[in-house]
Amino acid sequence: KLKTYRGAIERFKQVIDDYPDFKNNDKLFYYTGKCYYAFRYYPSAISFFQKIFNCYPNSKYLKKSTALIKKIAELQARAPQVAPAPVEEKKKLEKSDKQ
């Protein structure tokens, strides 16, 4: 809601890492994917959406995730050079991914 995507990603990933048995991981995966989608960092967005598809086939976030994966595919098909996330933000996200 506040469009503080980087902070949200870090918080979501911390919960995912610290509480692997958290009952709402599908929700965390969905919103983490949406944050990456907002950054236009599509590979990571797709990765989180696919986790829902692979691990939570009955999730209420499955349809939304599938729709966003299709939307990303359409965007990439129409304009293969879709503007990536700003370089500084991309580097910060990659750094947080490695941690």
Side-chain angles (χ1 to χ4, degrees), residues 28-38 41 44-46 48-49:
L28 288 173
F29 292 154
Y30 175 72
Y31 283 105
T32 305
K34 279 199 64 157
C35 289
Y36 279 116
Y37 177 81
Y41 197 58
S44 290
I46 290 171
F48 278 94
F49 295 142

Side-chain angles (χ1 to χ4, degrees), residues 55-74:
C55 301
Y56 301 93
N58 298 321
S59 173
K60 69 180 185 178
Y61 298 99
L62 184 62
K63 275 187 179 180
K64 293 178 182 181
S65 296
T66 303
L68 284 169
I69 289 172
K70 287 180 184 177
K71 190 170 183 178
I72 291 169
E74 290 171 6

Side-chain angles (χ1 to χ4, degrees), residues 1-82:
K1 291 180 180 181
L2 299 174
K3 298 184 181 182
T4 55
Y5 302 118
R6 187 170 51 102
I9 288 170
E10 290 175 13
R11 286 188 295 281
F12 293 153
K13 289 174 83 175
Q14 182 178 3
V15 173
I16 291 166
D17 292 342
D18 292 348
Y19 305 98
D21 295 329
F22 182 63
K23 69 176 186 171
N24 290 10
N25 269 345
D26 58 334
K27 183 176 183 179
L28 288 173
F29 292 154
Y30 175 72
Y31 283 105
T32 305
K34 279 199 64 157
C35 289
Y36 279 116
Y37 177 81
F39 267 128
R40 296 183 186 160
Y41 197 58
Y42 298 135
S44 290
I46 290 171
S47 174
F48 278 94
F49 295 142
Q50 285 178 333
K51 287 179 185 186
I52 297 169
F53 183 80
N54 293 333
C55 301
Y56 301 93
N58 298 321
S59 173
K60 69 180 185 178
Y61 298 99
L62 184 62
K63 275 187 179 180
K64 293 178 182 181
S65 296
T66 303
L68 284 169
I69 289 172
K70 287 180 184 177
K71 190 170 183 178
I72 291 169
E74 290 171 6
L75 287 170
Q76 291 177 334
R78 271 191 265 142
Q81 298 300 322
V82 173

